[in-house]
Structure formats: structure tokens, C-alpha cells
Amino acid sequence: MKKTALIAGATGITGNNLAAYLIASGWTVYGLSRRATEQSGVIPVEADLLEPDSLEQALSGLKISHLFYCTWIRRDTEEENVKANGAMMRNLFNALDCTHLEHTSLVTGTKQYLGSFEAYGSGRTETPFRESEPRVPGANFYYELEDVLFEAAQKHGFAWNVHRPHTVIGHALGNAMNMGTTLAVYASICKETGQPFVFPGSQTQWNALTDMTDALVLARQMEWASTTPGAWNQAFNVVNGDVFRWRRLWGELSEYFGLDVVDDPEAFKTLDAQMEGMESVWRDMAKTHDLAEPDINKLVSWWHTDADLGRDQECVNDMTRSREFGFHYFRNTRSSFFDLFDRLRAERIIP
């Protein structure tokens, strides 16, 4: 039977790429977001997860077999994150007719092992991170989302999976978790202005092993888990399958953009600091190169990339559980970056 998906967070980097993948696989896809998605093939459902009445009206009559929860909202403190994000998921389950719901997928991430934004790295979990690790002490909205999911699954009798990607690389504009596009814009500004393309992270991240998640690897794992009963009711890490050191990959990214390789960053300097006031520079670049988006703030997420690259501990995720359950898809991280950059150039997002 043809499956019907509801993607909460359809305009984000995860939801956007998941929708494209499911549509290509023959699914009927509804995309839930605060602003209606214009993605080809996606049936838009415009609603705010924090507004129960409008949400109930928007979802009325929908018969959904698979729910994919790929959204979150940021607040000033982690306690507020817990409250707001927990309310969003509860509101969705309360508004949705769960009679036909077979399975729900929840996307969280590596903060499962590292701790919240406020206490980043406080967990000091041994690498590689394994799904069986206990929760890090302290508030974490990922844990709240899991608990809401487990409660709803028990109440309504559907199966579930939790997916824990590392930094996600893929095509999506105006998304907070968007390192690929952020680094492409940074490199383009360096090329235009002549400033050095210096790694904006910590010495630990420069030298340690790490990994990443291609958005389509995540999409493949989500579809696989949601349609494979033997894999249900499990949490799965999801990364590309290779590991790298930024000190090597940074040189390869530099060469892609025709920039001089800066082999040894002398001091930690965040992108937020380096790129302050670059709005006018980007507007001028957009005019000179006929770029599609002159507003740099609709493309980049300096703060989130800073958080990823500023960690002072090694981050490597174990994929053993996923492999043992039968998911074997692999992606070269270099190709993830270069394919994204090629597409951004073709769409005139970067020069």
C-alpha cells in the first residue's frame, strides 16, 4: 500500500531532504511548517505547533501512516527549550488522528551525548558515542522529546525510532543547522575580500577525529527504519560512515574555492566575530555576481557552526547498532560538501 507521511519541519534541512527522498520513493507527503512549503510534490500544511487550535484545524481529516518529527525551536535557556519543544510535540499528537498512525520517527542529534547548548561538552561521554549511553545529567530538550514520543507510542500503539545525526550537510536555505551553506558563504567572502580562510574552531576540533551526516543518508535511514519492523523501537546514530580531521578537510575545502590553505589556525575566532558587519559586503557581492539571495542572514547560521566547530572534545558516533539491524548505506563526506557547493553555485547562491 502507498504510504502517507507527515513531516513536521518540512522546510528545514532534514525535512526538506527527507520529503524529496520519500516523494521519489513513491510516498504521499504532507509538509507541516509555520510557512507553507513550496517544495515540488509536497502537500503543504501550514500551522504553528505552539498553537493547538490552528494545528487541529490544519490536520483535520488527514490519514497519516508515518509521522516524521524533524523540527525544534530555540529559546533563551534550556529549561525554556524543554518546555517549548515538549509542548510542540504534545500538541501535534493531540491534534493528529493517530488511528491510522503506524510509526513515528524523531530526529534529535549528538547533543544526546554532549549535553545541551548551555552545558555543551559537560557529558564527557567516551567516543565513539553509542546509543546505549546513559543520558547526560541536566536539562536537555532532546530527552523531553523522547519522553513525549514514548508516552504517545504507548498510548496510541504505534512503533517508533529515534535518529541521532551528527552535523547535517545538505541543501536547505534559511536553516539554523546549516554548516555546509554557512562555510560556502564564508569561503566566498574570503575569496572576494582577500581575507584568509581560517578555520573558525577549536584546536581540538582541528586535530581530533570527527564525522558528519549527509541529509540523504539520514533520509534513507529514516525510511528504512520506519518500514522495517525488525528495526522498530530503537534509537540509531546516523553518520556517513567515514571519519576525518578538519585539518585535512579544511585544506580540501580551501582548494575547492581557490583559496590559500591556512594549515594552522593561530587563535580561536568565531564566525560570529569574523563576519560581523558583512551584510553590506554580501549585498555588494550579490549585485556584482547576480546572486539569488542578497540577504546573508537568510543563508547562514554563524552561531550554530561556531558551536559545532568550537567543541573541545572529540566527536565520533558509533554505527554498529544500525549496521547490525541492516542499514549499510555510506557517503563520502568530501563528496557531501562538494556536491552541495556545486549545487549552490548552479543555483546562484554563491559566486
Side-chain angles (χ1 to χ4, degrees), residues 13-14 108-111 114 120 129 142 164-170 175-183 205 210-218 238-240 244 246 301 304-311 315 317 333 336-337:
I13 189 170
T14 296
T108 60
T110 306
K111 284 193 296 297
L114 293 172
Y120 218 36
F129 301 141
Y142 284 177
R164 299 172 182 167
H166 197 177
T167 303
V168 179
I169 302 298
N175 182 262
M177 295 180 169
N178 199 352
M179 180 188 286
T181 302
T182 297
L183 292 181
Q205 286 303 301
T210 192
D211 50 28
M212 284 192 171
T213 306
D214 190 289
L216 290 178
V217 173
L218 175 54
V238 50
V239 287
N240 288 346
F244 64 92
W246 273 109
S301 53
H304 195 272
T305 298
D306 283 339
D308 273 347
L309 298 181
R311 299 169 183 155
C315 297
N317 293 269
T333 299
S336 294
F337 273 106

Side-chain angles (χ1 to χ4, degrees), residues 15-35:
N16 179 279
N17 286 277
L18 174 63
Y21 182 76
L22 293 180
I23 290 168
S25 300
W27 290 57
T28 297
V29 177
Y30 290 88
L32 173 62
S33 54
R34 282 175 298 204
R35 66 180 191 279

Side-chain angles (χ1 to χ4, degrees), residues 262-283:
V262 181
D263 288 326
D264 186 17
E266 296 179 357
F268 178 88
K269 190 173 183 183
T270 65
L271 286 172
D272 242 347
Q274 290 188 64
M275 296 289 102
E276 186 176 0
M278 285 293 176
E279 290 84 358
S280 60
V281 172
W282 188 258
R283 282 195 299 271

Side-chain angles (χ1 to χ4, degrees), residues 220-252:
R220 283 175 178 265
Q221 192 196 63
M222 292 176 75
E223 186 199 33
W224 162 78
S226 72
T227 58
T228 305
W232 286 353
N233 304 329
Q234 298 288 332
F236 290 117
N237 290 336
V238 50
V239 287
N240 288 346
D242 60 350
V243 294
F244 64 92
R245 302 182 200 277
W246 273 109
R247 67 189 188 209
R248 173 180 289 181
L249 182 59
W250 198 255
E252 295 169 337

Side-chain angles (χ1 to χ4, degrees), residues 5-286:
L6 174 66
I7 300 176
T11 59
I13 189 170
T14 296
N16 179 279
N17 286 277
L18 174 63
Y21 182 76
L22 293 180
I23 290 168
S25 300
W27 290 57
T28 297
V29 177
Y30 290 88
L32 173 62
S33 54
R34 282 175 298 204
R35 66 180 191 279
T37 178
E38 298 178 358
Q39 187 175 0
S40 177
V42 178
I43 305 168
V45 179
E46 190 172 358
D48 189 330
L49 288 170
L50 287 172
E51 297 181 3
D53 292 340
S54 66
L55 182 61
E56 190 169 324
Q57 183 177 358
L59 296 176
S60 178
L62 295 189
K63 297 180 179 180
I64 302 299
S65 63
H66 290 71
L67 171 63
F68 297 90
Y69 196 90
C70 313
T71 190
W72 70 291
I73 192 168
R74 189 185 185 198
R75 294 293 192 237
D76 290 337
T77 68
E78 193 61 21
E79 292 291 347
E80 291 176 286
N81 282 337
V82 169
K83 182 178 179 180
N85 285 279
M88 287 165 60
M89 181 177 263
R90 285 192 181 90
N91 290 342
L92 178 55
F93 281 124
N94 289 337
L96 184 65
D97 179 0
C98 295
T99 305
H100 307 278
L101 191 59
E102 301 172 15
H103 186 277
T104 295
S105 303
L106 167 64
V107 179
T108 60
T110 306
K111 284 193 296 297
Q112 175 81 19
Y113 313 110
L114 293 172
S116 67
F117 287 121
E118 291 180 356
Y120 218 36
S122 62
R124 296 295 172 188
T125 304
E126 185 73 19
T127 56
F129 301 141
R130 294 175 179 166
E131 297 91 339
S132 57
E133 299 289 347
R135 292 178 173 181
V136 176
N140 190 323
F141 78 86
Y142 284 177
Y143 306 157
E144 176 72 3
L145 289 175
E146 284 190 343
D147 290 343
V148 175
L149 171 66
F150 301 154
E151 179 184 332
Q154 184 174 25
K155 177 180 179 180
H156 298 290
F158 58 76
W160 58 268
N161 285 102
V162 177
H163 301 268
R164 299 172 182 167
H166 197 177
T167 303
V168 179
I169 302 298
H171 185 272
L173 304 180
N175 182 262
M177 295 180 169
N178 199 352
M179 180 188 286
T181 302
T182 297
L183 292 181
V185 170
Y186 172 46
S188 299
I189 290 174
C190 290
K191 182 75 172 178
E192 188 82 4
T193 63
Q195 73 181 73
F197 185 53
V198 179
F199 180 68
S202 68
Q203 288 288 336
T204 299
Q205 286 303 301
W206 180 251
N207 291 306
L209 287 171
T210 192
D211 50 28
M212 284 192 171
T213 306
D214 190 289
L216 290 178
V217 173
L218 175 54
R220 283 175 178 265
Q221 192 196 63
M222 292 176 75
E223 186 199 33
W224 162 78
S226 72
T227 58
T228 305
W232 286 353
N233 304 329
Q234 298 288 332
F236 290 117
N237 290 336
V238 50
V239 287
N240 288 346
D242 60 350
V243 294
F244 64 92
R245 302 182 200 277
W246 273 109
R247 67 189 188 209
R248 173 180 289 181
L249 182 59
W250 198 255
E252 295 169 337
L253 301 186
S254 300
E255 292 173 4
Y256 179 96
F257 287 99
L259 296 163
D260 292 335
V261 177
V262 181
D263 288 326
D264 186 17
E266 296 179 357
F268 178 88
K269 190 173 183 183
T270 65
L271 286 172
D272 242 347
Q274 290 188 64
M275 296 289 102
E276 186 176 0
M278 285 293 176
E279 290 84 358
S280 60
V281 172
W282 188 258
R283 282 195 299 271
D284 291 342
M285 288 175 61

